[in-house]
Amino acid sequence: METSNRKIISRRNRPAKEPLSHDLIVRTAYELLKEQGISGMSMRKVAKALDTGPSSLYVYVKNFQDLSSLVLDYGLGKLVLPDPKEVSWKENLFGALNAYFLLLYEEPGLAELSFSTIPRGTNFLRLTEYILTTLQNGGVKSRSAAWGVDLLLLYVSSVAYEHTFKKKHGNMQISDLKETFQSADPVLFPILFSLGGEMFSGDTKSMERFHWGLEVLLHGIQHFSK
């Protein structure tokens, strides 16, 4: 009679699976976002990663939009804002926006998510409160500060997404656009032809163009605050 050499592993010896929870769902979705982008954190894929069914997630989150808001706020928890007591209000403002940009750029998926999600949560409120306080410290009146914070955050998100797109897909599309501008008919498009070089100028590494944009926005916010 043959004796089987198979080992029977008791369920008691297996690592215990972490109980399903609100925090576990958000953390899992965030990791999938970093690995695969927004498409990777669908309810189905999050449920599969947690070895459960999609319906069980709805006990903890309302829908995909709710999950997206929670994941974005979770990512913003890594944001380190400048100490407001150390430097001028403008340096604090630009320091906070620069830190926000770097977080979106360095954490895969966050920049893309910031475009498709209505943010909410303590970490987003902390960032918004910091910018509003800093603007008011600089003499910006209430309505201009309220409208200005939206413009500033949208600008940072758009630049961060553009840079992450280039990092992921290379500069092929930018090269195509440059070629289109450079080959423009100088008779039909004289200004575009003459400014072809300037259209793509600005040192990407030093973020010269990014900071110029911040200066322009801040100048406009201050001007219309009078």
Side-chain angles (χ1 to χ4, degrees), residues 17-208:
K17 188 170 74 171
E18 187 176 348
L20 193 63
S21 67
H22 178 277
D23 290 343
L24 178 60
I25 291 169
V26 173
R27 282 189 278 115
T28 302
Y30 182 71
E31 291 304 316
L32 289 172
L33 174 71
K34 292 201 298 182
E35 293 169 10
Q36 303 174 33
I38 290 179
S39 62
M41 52 171 277
S42 67
M43 300 294 275
R44 181 180 61 80
K45 288 184 178 179
V46 172
K48 184 178 179 181
L50 292 170
D51 193 23
T52 188
S55 59
S56 62
L57 303 185
Y58 291 102
V59 176
Y60 302 92
V61 294
K62 296 176 185 176
N63 47 41
F64 178 73
Q65 190 62 44
D66 184 40
L67 177 61
S68 297
S69 295
L70 294 167
V71 170
L72 178 57
D73 196 66
Y74 178 83
L76 290 177
K78 299 184 179 185
L79 180 63
V80 179
L81 296 170
D83 185 343
K85 297 178 181 178
E86 291 184 356
V87 291
S88 72
W89 72 270
K90 184 177 175 182
E91 288 177 285
N92 281 322
L93 175 64
F94 282 13
L97 293 169
N98 198 62
Y100 179 51
F101 168 82
L102 290 174
L103 177 68
L104 295 182
Y105 178 73
E106 292 170 358
E107 291 291 319
L110 272 189
E112 184 182 4
L113 189 62
S114 70
F115 270 120
S116 61
T117 302
I118 298 173
R120 62 182 178 85
T122 303
N123 295 317
F124 175 73
L125 294 177
R126 180 172 62 94
L127 171 61
T128 305
E129 178 75 9
Y130 185 98
I131 294 173
L132 288 171
T133 301
T134 308
L135 286 171
Q136 292 199 341
N137 287 342
V140 177
K141 294 181 181 177
S142 299
R143 187 171 73 168
S144 291
W147 292 5
V149 68
D150 185 49
L151 278 177
L152 289 166
L153 292 177
L154 182 60
Y155 171 71
V156 174
S157 293
S158 65
V159 177
Y161 179 68
E162 180 186 18
H163 282 255
T164 55
F165 184 86
K166 288 178 186 175
K167 182 170 67 171
K168 184 177 180 180
H169 300 284
N171 290 316
M172 186 176 297
Q173 290 185 329
I174 298 298
S175 298
D176 290 343
L177 184 59
K178 280 184 179 180
E179 186 179 340
T180 299
F181 281 10
Q182 288 167 357
S183 61
D185 188 328
V187 176
L188 293 175
F189 311 104
I191 304 300
L192 180 58
F193 182 80
S194 66
L195 295 179
E198 292 297 338
M199 298 293 288
F200 299 93
S201 63
D203 186 354
T204 303
K205 290 183 180 179
S206 69
M207 300 301 293
E208 178 186 2

Side-chain angles (χ1 to χ4, degrees), residues 94 155 207-218:
F94 282 13
Y155 171 71
M207 300 301 293
E208 178 186 2
R209 191 164 180 155
F210 172 68
H211 292 127
W212 178 86
L214 290 180
E215 291 280 3
V216 170
L217 285 174
L218 180 58

